Amino acid sequence: MKESQGKTVYLRDYRVPDFLIDDTQLIVELFETQTLVSARLKMRRNPAAQTPQAPLVLSGRALELLEVKLAGKVLAGSDYQVDAEQLTIAGVPASFMLECRTRIKPQENTSLEGLYKSRVMFCTQCEAEGFRKITYYLDRPDVLSSFTTRIEAEKLRYPVLLSNGNLLASGELGGGRHFATWQDPFKKPCYLFALVAGDLENISDSFTTSSGRKVELKIFVEAKDLDKCDFAMDALKRAMRWDEQVYGREYDLDIFMIVAVDDFNMGAMENKGLNIFNSSCVLAKPETSTDFSFARIESIVAHEYFHNWSGNRVTCRDWFQLSLKEGFTVFRDAEFSADMGSRAVNRIEDVGMLRTVQFAEDSGPMAHSVRPESYMEISNFYTVTIYEKGAEVVRMIANLLGKELFRKGTDLYFSRFDGMAVTTEDFVQCMETVSGINLTQFRRWYSQAGTPELTVSRDYDAKQRRFTLTIKQQCPPTPRQPDKEPFYIPVTVALLDSNGQELPLQLGADDGQATSKVLRLTDAEQQFTFINIPEAPVPALLRGFSAPVKLQCDYTREELSFLMSHERDGFVRWEAGQQLSLAVLNEGMQARLAGQPVTVDPVLITAFGSVLQAALVDVNADKAMLANLLLLPPEAYLAELAVPADVEGIHAVREQLRRQLAHELADLFAQVYHANVSNESYRYEARAIAGRTLKNTALNYLMLLEDPHWFAIAKQQYDSATNMTDQSAALRALVNNPCAANQSLRETLVAAFYQQWQHETLVVEQWLSLQSAAPVPGNLPAVQQLIKHEAFDLRNPNKVRSVIGAFCNSNLIGFHAGDGSGYRFLADYVIKLNASNPQIASRQLTPLTRWRKYDTTRQALMKVELRRVMAEPKLSPDVFEIVSKSLQD
Ligand code: TRP
Ligand code: ZN
């Protein structure tokens, strides 16, 4: 058991640092068996701290301290204390130079935090608290320092030496070694420090900022990947322009670099001037990458670039403020993606993710607010709540203020706090200052966890021509927050007449004639009465998903299918379809439990039929939107909605419904498939993407006919595909719909795919996850075979995510196998990963923590595995926090 295990950090305990570091000079000498780090820190007592007697306490972990000098004098062992976490020196003067020499072993660092080796290169990951694994330091985001970094390494193996900022000097050293010195002109917290050394190639380009400064852009990769950088470079330039146009933010250094590494715990990292990316989040070419990964790359490249202002120039005071940079930056990248492609489809996909993954987190044992009150291990708080819900909170503010005031607010925020480490409160105050809008109640979105639940009822008074919406809100308890105060919830509504026309909305006689209105829900229950309403309307509620809430309204199925075909707002339209499917699915699950036959309401068949018709005849239709309308709610979402979740029922009834839709609408699916086959060469462009999405959605349904004709067509698509989107979609369609009739074809193509792509790591990852995620009961043995496959590597996070993550998160029926085998499998690997990479171990554990969602038999099986993990002797703080919190009542 680690000493720090079980220690909780509280927001309310925040104190300013006792010391500041004005300047940091590092010399990093890289060798094959060790690295020597020399740090010269120009330090002084923090005038704001008023703790003149406080000892100097620096964080350090897994460091071997070789020498400490204070003001030029070597300290004796009795002058300081050092333990596994800290270096403490008492009686230091008001200002001084501190020099530390330490030895580290990046080659042995499997945690991928601090300085480590990814295959053949050295790289770093310092956020959140990894810098302390490089040298003793004040490893907290409110200590900003200027950095000069000299890297020394063997020239042949590591010809490229990079760090933040500008290259000051470089040259030869004796013995086949060389050096490079980088200086970052901007002060920054150490979590933004980065260093890379390796045999890297690069593509380079340039960008001229709006004020006419020329910036050099470089993407560094291993030689094998040089052909996959162009798309990211293009996305980067578009992001740079967009941030100038939309936020008035210009890039501030003369060079911007991206490095791709194969071993990385997360997606990417915004280190100042030197972003480091998981190669899966930056490398793409049509032959190896799907439309999905192109989109992901575009948004992550933009996300990390946008951090240069929202995160780096203005940073976080402490890690409780993480959403200050992450929520805001996700909002920024989502808006960028919306401007680049289909706004409605981007929104639907983001909302779909939020509702399955974030809502589940919000109702589980790790539920926390956007600004948490406490944590044990900060790495566990890089969550969908901080990122995605945080972005929804910023979106609500942006909508409340409107475009112009929001821009004024962000301008004020960036100018007022440039070069500072601040809080979400500072952000909100800027928004209040520029707008005069009181956000007091709104602030509860930052402090209260849980997903608010809205219930809407309606009343139409034909005589008075009045339509009244009564909206109630409540929020279930979450750990340490039993009672919630009402939230400020913006509910955007429209009222449709029987022709689908929007009615003018007047809440009072002197109200305007707007056809879409934001209702401001502030109380536990509120009524909104619209006047001059000529007929009973169908309300379109929560347009644009105007708040991250669950909303219930007693729509009839006819009303839902009416909204699906008449509403203009993409989210409401899609949500109506989801609700309609949900009603049919629930009915089916009830019938199944009662031992009765499952029948499908023809209303749903008709609704899906008209979507397919629209795809064939409506030339203006957004085909990506239509493809989304053809998807039933995912199993994970159905599980999120029900307590207890009926694992077998969800899978069986959903599959049966898909099958029935395929049979009833076979001709339309076939026509839609053929109408969208294209022989144009691949382009990553909205219309082309939409066509492929729709075609491959149809193909998935057509597989369910179990017709040799359609298997042959899938094979033909596989064989003739010139891009990975179509090739992998054909393979996935077969793998996800296994039956005796396609068995030999399926097995042949699975093997052929590996043969063809075994040397492309990123494609192999897709191959692994496509098989592991296949929603097929009883496929655990196949997943275990993949773990034994030569392509698998437990040390590589992408491989872990592709096999273990894909199985446990995407294959509901496999992971929740009634005999508990899925749970045992996950616990086994969490225990293994706990020793090598705690961050990955604790992340993988998440599906086991959701035991309260399932029946008592499964609950017991899941808890057995959690307790087995809990009983491990050397549990990391990361895993300890998740497992202990998930076992608390
Ligand atoms: N700041 C990064 C981002 O969102 C997140 C990140 C990258 C990270 N690597 C990490 C967080 C390692 C924790 C640990 O862009
Ligand atoms: Zn981020």
Coordinates of all heavy atoms in Angstrom, one line a residue, residues 2-79:
K2 N 0.6 2.1 -0.9 CA 1.3 3.4 -1.0 C 1.0 4.3 0.2 O -0.2 4.3 0.6 CB 1.0 4.1 -2.3 CG 2.2 4.4 -3.1 CD 1.8 5.0 -4.4 CE 3.0 5.3 -5.3 NZ 2.5 5.7 -6.6
E3 N 1.9 5.1 0.6 CA 1.6 6.0 1.7 C 0.5 7.0 1.4 O -0.3 7.3 2.2 CB 2.9 6.8 2.0 CG 3.3 6.8 3.4 CD 4.6 7.6 3.6 OE1 5.7 7.0 3.2 OE2 4.5 8.7 4.0
S4 N 0.5 7.5 0.1 CA -0.5 8.5 -0.3 C -1.9 7.9 -0.5 O -2.8 8.6 -0.6 CB 0.0 9.2 -1.5 OG 0.0 8.2 -2.6
Q5 N -2.0 6.6 -0.4 CA -3.2 5.9 -0.8 C -4.3 6.3 0.2 O -4.2 6.3 1.4 CB -3.1 4.4 -0.7 CG -4.3 3.7 -1.2 CD -4.0 2.2 -1.4 OE1 -4.1 1.5 -0.4 NE2 -3.6 1.8 -2.5
G6 N -5.5 6.7 -0.3 CA -6.6 7.0 0.5 C -6.6 8.5 1.0 O -7.5 8.9 1.7
K7 N -5.5 9.2 0.6 CA -5.5 10.6 1.0 C -6.4 11.4 0.1 O -6.4 11.3 -1.2 CB -4.1 11.2 0.9 CG -3.3 11.1 2.2 CD -2.1 12.1 2.2 CE -1.2 11.7 3.3 NZ 0.2 11.8 2.9
T8 N -7.2 12.3 0.7 CA -8.1 13.1 -0.2 C -7.7 14.5 -0.2 O -7.3 15.1 0.9 CB -9.6 12.9 0.4 OG1 -9.9 11.6 0.3 CG2 -10.6 13.7 -0.4
V9 N -7.8 15.1 -1.3 CA -7.5 16.6 -1.5 C -8.8 17.3 -1.6 O -9.7 16.9 -2.3 CB -6.6 16.8 -2.8 CG1 -6.1 18.3 -2.8 CG2 -5.4 15.9 -2.8
Y10 N -8.9 18.4 -0.9 CA -10.2 19.2 -0.9 C -10.0 20.6 -1.5 O -9.0 21.2 -1.2 CB -10.7 19.3 0.5 CG -11.2 18.0 1.1 CD1 -10.3 17.2 1.9 CD2 -12.4 17.5 0.9 CE1 -10.6 16.0 2.4 CE2 -12.8 16.3 1.4 CZ -11.9 15.5 2.2 OH -12.3 14.3 2.7
L11 N -11.0 21.0 -2.3 CA -11.0 22.3 -2.8 C -10.9 23.3 -1.7 O -10.2 24.3 -1.8 CB -12.2 22.5 -3.7 CG -12.6 23.9 -4.1 CD1 -11.4 24.5 -5.0 CD2 -13.9 23.9 -5.0
R12 N -11.6 23.1 -0.7 CA -11.7 24.1 0.4 C -10.4 24.3 1.1 O -10.2 25.3 1.8 CB -12.8 23.7 1.4 CG -12.5 22.4 2.1 CD -13.4 22.2 3.4 NE -13.0 20.9 4.0 CZ -13.5 19.7 3.8 NH1 -14.5 19.6 3.0 NH2 -13.1 18.7 4.4
D13 N -9.4 23.4 0.9 CA -8.1 23.5 1.5 C -7.1 24.3 0.6 O -5.9 24.4 1.0 CB -7.5 22.1 1.8 CG -8.2 21.4 2.9 OD1 -8.9 22.1 3.7 OD2 -8.1 20.2 3.0
Y14 N -7.6 24.8 -0.5 CA -6.6 25.5 -1.4 C -5.9 26.7 -0.7 O -6.5 27.5 0.0 CB -7.3 26.1 -2.6 CG -6.4 26.9 -3.5 CD1 -5.5 26.2 -4.3 CD2 -6.3 28.3 -3.3 CE1 -4.5 27.0 -5.1 CE2 -5.3 29.0 -4.1 CZ -4.5 28.3 -4.9 OH -3.5 29.1 -5.6
R15 N -4.6 26.7 -0.8 CA -3.8 27.8 -0.3 C -2.8 28.2 -1.4 O -2.4 27.4 -2.2 CB -2.9 27.4 0.9 CG -3.6 26.9 2.1 CD -4.4 28.1 2.9 NE -5.1 27.5 4.0 CZ -6.4 27.0 3.9 NH1 -7.0 27.0 2.8 NH2 -7.0 26.6 5.0
V16 N -2.5 29.5 -1.5 CA -1.5 29.9 -2.5 C -0.2 29.3 -2.2 O 0.0 28.9 -1.0 CB -1.4 31.5 -2.6 CG1 -2.7 32.1 -3.0 CG2 -0.8 32.0 -1.3
P17 N 0.7 29.1 -3.2 CA 1.9 28.4 -2.9 C 2.8 29.3 -2.0 O 2.8 30.5 -2.0 CB 2.6 28.2 -4.3 CG 1.9 29.3 -5.1 CD 0.5 29.4 -4.6
D18 N 3.6 28.6 -1.1 CA 4.5 29.3 -0.2 C 5.7 29.9 -1.0 O 6.3 30.9 -0.6 CB 5.1 28.4 0.8 CG 4.0 27.9 1.8 OD1 3.1 28.7 2.1 OD2 4.1 26.8 2.3
F19 N 6.0 29.3 -2.1 CA 7.2 29.7 -2.9 C 6.8 29.9 -4.4 O 5.8 29.2 -4.8 CB 8.3 28.7 -2.8 CG 9.0 28.7 -1.4 CD1 8.4 27.8 -0.5 CD2 10.0 29.5 -1.1 CE1 9.0 27.8 0.8 CE2 10.6 29.4 0.2 CZ 10.1 28.6 1.1
L20 N 7.6 30.7 -5.1 CA 7.4 30.8 -6.5 C 8.7 30.4 -7.2 O 9.8 30.4 -6.6 CB 7.0 32.2 -6.9 CG 5.8 32.8 -6.2 CD1 5.6 34.3 -6.6 CD2 4.5 32.0 -6.7
I21 N 8.6 30.0 -8.5 CA 9.8 29.7 -9.3 C 9.8 30.6 -10.5 O 9.0 30.4 -11.4 CB 9.7 28.2 -9.8 CG1 9.5 27.2 -8.6 CG2 11.0 27.8 -10.5 CD1 9.4 25.8 -9.0
D22 N 10.6 31.6 -10.4 CA 10.6 32.6 -11.5 C 11.2 32.0 -12.8 O 10.8 32.4 -13.9 CB 11.4 33.9 -11.1 CG 10.6 34.6 -10.0 OD1 9.4 34.7 -10.1 OD2 11.3 35.1 -9.0
D23 N 12.2 31.2 -12.6 CA 12.9 30.7 -13.8 C 13.4 29.2 -13.6 O 13.8 28.9 -12.4 CB 14.2 31.5 -14.1 CG 14.8 31.1 -15.4 OD1 14.2 31.2 -16.4 OD2 16.0 30.8 -15.4
T24 N 13.2 28.4 -14.6 CA 13.6 27.0 -14.5 C 14.6 26.7 -15.6 O 14.3 26.9 -16.8 CB 12.3 26.1 -14.7 OG1 11.4 26.5 -13.7 CG2 12.6 24.7 -14.6
Q25 N 15.7 26.2 -15.3 CA 16.7 25.8 -16.3 C 17.0 24.3 -16.1 O 17.4 23.8 -15.1 CB 18.0 26.6 -16.2 CG 17.7 28.0 -16.4 CD 19.0 28.8 -16.7 OE1 20.0 28.3 -17.1 NE2 18.9 30.1 -16.6
L26 N 16.7 23.5 -17.2 CA 16.9 22.1 -17.1 C 18.0 21.6 -18.0 O 18.1 22.1 -19.2 CB 15.6 21.4 -17.5 CG 14.3 21.7 -16.7 CD1 13.1 21.1 -17.4 CD2 14.4 21.1 -15.3
I27 N 18.7 20.7 -17.6 CA 19.6 19.9 -18.5 C 19.2 18.5 -18.4 O 19.2 17.9 -17.3 CB 21.1 20.1 -18.1 CG1 21.5 21.6 -18.1 CG2 22.0 19.3 -19.1 CD1 22.9 21.9 -17.6
V28 N 18.8 17.9 -19.5 CA 18.4 16.5 -19.5 C 19.3 15.7 -20.3 O 19.4 15.9 -21.5 CB 16.9 16.4 -20.0 CG1 16.4 15.0 -20.0 CG2 16.0 17.3 -19.2
E29 N 20.1 14.8 -19.7 CA 21.0 14.0 -20.4 C 20.5 12.6 -20.6 O 20.3 11.8 -19.6 CB 22.4 13.9 -19.6 CG 23.0 15.2 -19.4 CD 24.1 15.2 -18.4 OE1 25.2 14.5 -18.6 OE2 23.9 15.7 -17.3
L30 N 20.1 12.2 -21.8 CA 19.5 11.0 -22.1 C 20.5 9.9 -22.4 O 21.4 10.1 -23.3 CB 18.5 11.1 -23.3 CG 17.4 12.2 -23.1 CD1 16.8 12.4 -24.5 CD2 16.4 11.8 -22.1
F31 N 20.4 8.8 -21.7 CA 21.3 7.6 -22.0 C 20.4 6.4 -22.1 O 19.2 6.4 -21.8 CB 22.3 7.4 -20.9 CG 23.2 8.5 -20.7 CD1 23.0 9.5 -19.8 CD2 24.4 8.6 -21.6 CE1 23.9 10.6 -19.6 CE2 25.3 9.7 -21.4 CZ 25.0 10.7 -20.4
E32 N 21.0 5.3 -22.5 CA 20.2 4.1 -22.8 C 19.6 3.4 -21.5 O 18.6 2.8 -21.5 CB 20.9 3.0 -23.6 CG 21.0 3.4 -25.1 CD 19.7 3.9 -25.6 OE1 18.8 3.2 -25.8 OE2 19.6 5.2 -25.9
T33 N 20.4 3.6 -20.4 CA 19.9 2.9 -19.1 C 19.4 3.9 -18.1 O 18.8 3.5 -17.1 CB 21.0 2.0 -18.5 OG1 22.1 2.9 -18.3 CG2 21.4 0.9 -19.5
Q34 N 19.7 5.2 -18.3 CA 19.3 6.2 -17.3 C 19.3 7.6 -17.9 O 19.8 7.8 -19.0 CB 20.3 6.2 -16.1 CG 21.7 6.6 -16.6 CD 22.7 6.8 -15.5 OE1 22.4 6.5 -14.3 NE2 23.8 7.4 -15.8
T35 N 18.6 8.5 -17.2 CA 18.6 9.9 -17.6 C 19.0 10.7 -16.4 O 18.5 10.5 -15.3 CB 17.2 10.3 -18.2 OG1 17.0 9.6 -19.4 CG2 17.1 11.8 -18.4
L36 N 19.9 11.7 -16.7 CA 20.3 12.6 -15.6 C 19.6 13.9 -15.8 O 19.7 14.5 -16.9 CB 21.8 12.7 -15.6 CG 22.6 11.4 -15.4 CD1 24.1 11.6 -15.6 CD2 22.3 10.9 -14.0
V37 N 19.0 14.4 -14.8 CA 18.3 15.7 -14.9 C 18.9 16.7 -13.9 O 19.0 16.4 -12.7 CB 16.8 15.6 -14.6 CG1 16.1 16.9 -14.7 CG2 16.1 14.5 -15.5
S38 N 19.4 17.8 -14.5 CA 19.9 18.9 -13.6 C 18.9 20.0 -13.7 O 18.6 20.5 -14.8 CB 21.2 19.3 -14.0 OG 22.1 18.2 -14.2
A39 N 18.4 20.5 -12.6 CA 17.4 21.6 -12.6 C 18.0 22.8 -11.7 O 18.5 22.6 -10.6 CB 16.1 21.1 -11.9
R40 N 18.0 23.9 -12.3 CA 18.4 25.2 -11.6 C 17.1 26.0 -11.5 O 16.5 26.5 -12.5 CB 19.4 26.0 -12.4 CG 20.8 25.6 -12.3 CD 21.7 26.3 -13.3 NE 21.7 27.8 -13.1 CZ 22.5 28.4 -12.3 NH1 23.4 27.8 -11.6 NH2 22.4 29.8 -12.1
L41 N 16.6 26.1 -10.3 CA 15.3 26.8 -10.0 C 15.6 28.1 -9.3 O 16.1 28.1 -8.2 CB 14.4 25.9 -9.2 CG 14.2 24.5 -9.7 CD1 13.2 23.7 -8.7 CD2 13.6 24.5 -11.1
K42 N 15.2 29.2 -9.9 CA 15.3 30.5 -9.3 C 14.1 30.8 -8.5 O 13.0 31.0 -9.0 CB 15.5 31.6 -10.4 CG 15.8 33.0 -9.9 CD 16.3 33.9 -11.0 CE 16.5 35.3 -10.6 NZ 15.2 36.0 -10.6
M43 N 14.2 30.7 -7.2 CA 13.0 30.7 -6.3 C 13.0 31.8 -5.4 O 14.0 32.5 -5.0 CB 13.0 29.4 -5.5 CG 13.0 28.1 -6.3 SD 12.6 26.6 -5.4 CE 10.9 26.9 -5.2
R44 N 11.7 32.1 -4.9 CA 11.6 33.1 -3.9 C 10.3 32.8 -3.1 O 9.4 32.1 -3.6 CB 11.5 34.6 -4.4 CG 10.4 34.8 -5.4 CD 10.5 36.2 -6.0 NE 9.7 36.3 -7.2 CZ 8.5 36.8 -7.3 NH1 7.9 37.4 -6.2 NH2 7.8 36.8 -8.4
R45 N 10.2 33.4 -1.9 CA 9.0 33.2 -1.2 C 7.9 34.0 -1.8 O 8.1 35.1 -2.4 CB 9.2 33.7 0.3 CG 10.0 32.8 1.1 CD 10.0 33.1 2.6 NE 10.9 32.2 3.3 CZ 10.5 31.0 3.8 NH1 9.2 30.6 3.6 NH2 11.3 30.2 4.4
N46 N 6.7 33.4 -1.8 CA 5.5 34.1 -2.4 C 5.0 35.2 -1.5 O 4.6 34.9 -0.4 CB 4.4 33.0 -2.6 CG 3.2 33.6 -3.3 OD1 3.2 34.8 -3.7 ND2 2.2 32.7 -3.5
P47 N 5.1 36.5 -2.0 CA 4.6 37.6 -1.1 C 3.2 37.4 -0.7 O 2.8 37.9 0.4 CB 4.8 38.8 -2.0 CG 5.0 38.3 -3.4 CD 5.6 36.9 -3.3
A48 N 2.4 36.7 -1.5 CA 0.9 36.6 -1.2 C 0.7 35.5 -0.2 O -0.4 35.3 0.3 CB 0.2 36.2 -2.5
A49 N 1.7 34.7 0.2 CA 1.5 33.6 1.1 C 1.5 33.9 2.5 O 0.8 33.3 3.3 CB 2.5 32.5 0.8
Q50 N 2.3 34.9 2.9 CA 2.4 35.3 4.3 C 2.7 34.1 5.2 O 2.1 33.9 6.3 CB 1.2 36.0 4.8 CG 1.1 37.3 4.1 CD -0.3 38.0 4.2 OE1 -1.3 37.4 4.5 NE2 -0.3 39.3 4.0
T51 N 3.7 33.3 4.8 CA 4.1 32.1 5.6 C 5.6 32.2 5.6 O 6.3 31.3 5.1 CB 3.7 30.8 4.9 OG1 4.0 30.8 3.5 CG2 2.2 30.6 5.1
P52 N 6.2 33.2 6.3 CA 7.7 33.5 6.2 C 8.5 32.3 6.7 O 9.7 32.2 6.4 CB 7.9 34.8 6.9 CG 6.7 34.9 7.8 CD 5.6 34.2 7.1
Q53 N 7.9 31.5 7.6 CA 8.7 30.4 8.2 C 8.6 29.1 7.5 O 9.3 28.1 7.8 CB 8.3 30.2 9.7 CG 8.4 31.5 10.5 CD 9.8 32.1 10.5 OE1 10.8 31.4 10.5 NE2 9.8 33.4 10.5
A54 N 7.7 29.0 6.5 CA 7.4 27.7 5.9 C 8.6 27.1 5.3 O 9.4 27.8 4.6 CB 6.3 27.9 4.9
P55 N 8.8 25.8 5.5 CA 9.9 25.1 4.8 C 9.6 25.0 3.3 O 8.4 25.1 2.9 CB 9.9 23.7 5.5 CG 8.5 23.5 5.9 CD 8.0 24.9 6.3
L56 N 10.6 24.8 2.5 CA 10.4 24.5 1.1 C 10.1 23.1 0.9 O 10.8 22.2 1.3 CB 11.7 24.9 0.3 CG 11.7 24.5 -1.2 CD1 10.6 25.3 -1.9 CD2 13.1 24.7 -1.8
V57 N 8.9 22.8 0.3 CA 8.5 21.4 0.1 C 8.3 21.2 -1.4 O 7.4 21.8 -2.0 CB 7.2 21.1 0.8 CG1 6.8 19.6 0.6 CG2 7.3 21.4 2.3
L58 N 9.1 20.4 -2.0 CA 9.0 20.1 -3.4 C 8.5 18.7 -3.6 O 8.8 17.8 -2.9 CB 10.4 20.2 -4.1 CG 11.1 21.6 -4.0 CD1 12.5 21.5 -4.5 CD2 10.3 22.7 -4.8
S59 N 7.7 18.5 -4.7 CA 7.2 17.2 -5.0 C 8.2 16.4 -5.9 O 8.8 17.1 -6.7 CB 5.9 17.3 -5.8 OG 4.9 18.0 -5.0
G60 N 8.3 15.2 -5.6 CA 9.2 14.3 -6.5 C 8.8 12.9 -6.3 O 8.4 12.5 -5.2
R61 N 8.8 12.1 -7.3 CA 8.3 10.7 -7.2 C 9.2 9.9 -8.2 O 9.5 10.3 -9.3 CB 6.9 10.6 -7.7 CG 6.3 9.2 -7.5 CD 4.8 9.2 -7.9 NE 4.0 10.0 -7.0 CZ 2.8 10.5 -7.3 NH1 2.2 10.2 -8.4 NH2 2.1 11.2 -6.4
A62 N 9.6 8.7 -7.7 CA 10.5 7.8 -8.5 C 11.7 8.5 -9.0 O 12.2 8.3 -10.1 CB 9.7 7.2 -9.6
L63 N 12.3 9.4 -8.1 CA 13.5 10.1 -8.4 C 14.7 9.6 -7.5 O 14.4 9.3 -6.4 CB 13.4 11.6 -8.2 CG 12.2 12.3 -8.9 CD1 12.1 13.7 -8.4 CD2 12.4 12.3 -10.4
E64 N 15.8 9.5 -8.1 CA 17.0 9.3 -7.2 C 17.7 10.6 -7.1 O 18.3 11.1 -8.1 CB 17.9 8.2 -7.9 CG 19.0 7.8 -7.0 CD 20.0 6.9 -7.7 OE1 19.7 6.3 -8.7 OE2 21.2 6.9 -7.3
L65 N 17.8 11.1 -5.9 CA 18.4 12.4 -5.7 C 19.9 12.2 -5.6 O 20.4 11.5 -4.7 CB 17.8 13.1 -4.4 CG 18.4 14.4 -4.0 CD1 18.1 15.4 -5.1 CD2 17.7 14.9 -2.8
L66 N 20.6 12.9 -6.5 CA 22.1 12.8 -6.5 C 22.8 13.9 -5.7 O 23.8 13.7 -5.0 CB 22.6 12.7 -7.9 CG 22.1 11.6 -8.8 CD1 22.6 11.7 -10.2 CD2 22.4 10.2 -8.2
E67 N 22.2 15.1 -5.9 CA 22.8 16.3 -5.2 C 21.8 17.4 -5.1 O 21.0 17.7 -6.1 CB 24.0 16.7 -6.1 CG 24.9 17.9 -5.4 CD 26.0 18.3 -6.3 OE1 25.8 19.0 -7.3 OE2 27.2 18.0 -6.0
V68 N 21.9 18.2 -4.0 CA 21.1 19.4 -3.9 C 22.0 20.5 -3.5 O 22.8 20.4 -2.6 CB 20.1 19.3 -2.7 CG1 18.9 20.3 -3.0 CG2 19.6 18.0 -2.4
K69 N 21.9 21.7 -4.2 CA 22.6 22.9 -3.8 C 21.7 24.0 -3.6 O 20.7 24.2 -4.3 CB 23.5 23.3 -5.0 CG 24.8 22.5 -5.2 CD 25.6 23.3 -6.2 CE 26.7 22.4 -6.9 NZ 27.3 23.1 -8.1
L70 N 21.9 24.7 -2.5 CA 21.2 25.9 -2.2 C 22.1 27.1 -2.2 O 23.1 27.0 -1.6 CB 20.5 25.7 -0.8 CG 19.6 26.9 -0.4 CD1 18.2 26.7 -1.1 CD2 19.4 26.9 1.1
A71 N 21.7 28.1 -3.0 CA 22.6 29.2 -3.2 C 24.1 28.8 -3.5 O 25.0 29.4 -2.9 CB 22.5 30.1 -1.9
G72 N 24.2 27.8 -4.3 CA 25.6 27.4 -4.7 C 26.3 26.5 -3.8 O 27.4 26.0 -4.1
K73 N 25.7 26.2 -2.6 CA 26.4 25.3 -1.6 C 25.7 24.0 -1.6 O 24.5 23.8 -1.5 CB 26.2 26.0 -0.2 CG 27.5 26.4 0.4 CD 27.4 26.8 1.9 CE 26.9 25.6 2.7 NZ 26.3 25.9 3.9
V74 N 26.5 22.9 -1.7 CA 26.0 21.6 -1.7 C 25.4 21.3 -0.3 O 26.1 21.6 0.7 CB 27.1 20.5 -2.0 CG1 26.6 19.1 -1.8 CG2 27.7 20.8 -3.4
L75 N 24.2 20.8 -0.2 CA 23.6 20.5 1.1 C 24.0 19.1 1.6 O 24.1 18.2 0.8 CB 22.1 20.6 1.0 CG 21.5 21.9 0.7 CD1 20.0 21.9 0.8 CD2 22.1 23.0 1.6
A76 N 24.2 19.0 2.9 CA 24.5 17.7 3.5 C 23.2 17.0 3.7 O 22.1 17.6 3.8 CB 25.2 17.9 4.8
G77 N 23.3 15.7 3.8 CA 22.1 14.9 4.0 C 21.2 15.4 5.2 O 20.0 15.3 5.2
S78 N 21.9 16.0 6.2 CA 21.1 16.5 7.4 C 20.4 17.8 7.1 O 19.6 18.2 7.9 CB 22.1 16.6 8.5 OG 23.2 17.5 8.1
D79 N 20.7 18.4 6.0 CA 20.1 19.7 5.7 C 18.7 19.6 5.0 O 18.0 20.6 4.9 CB 21.0 20.5 4.7 CG 22.3 20.9 5.3 OD1 22.4 20.9 6.6 OD2 23.3 21.0 4.6

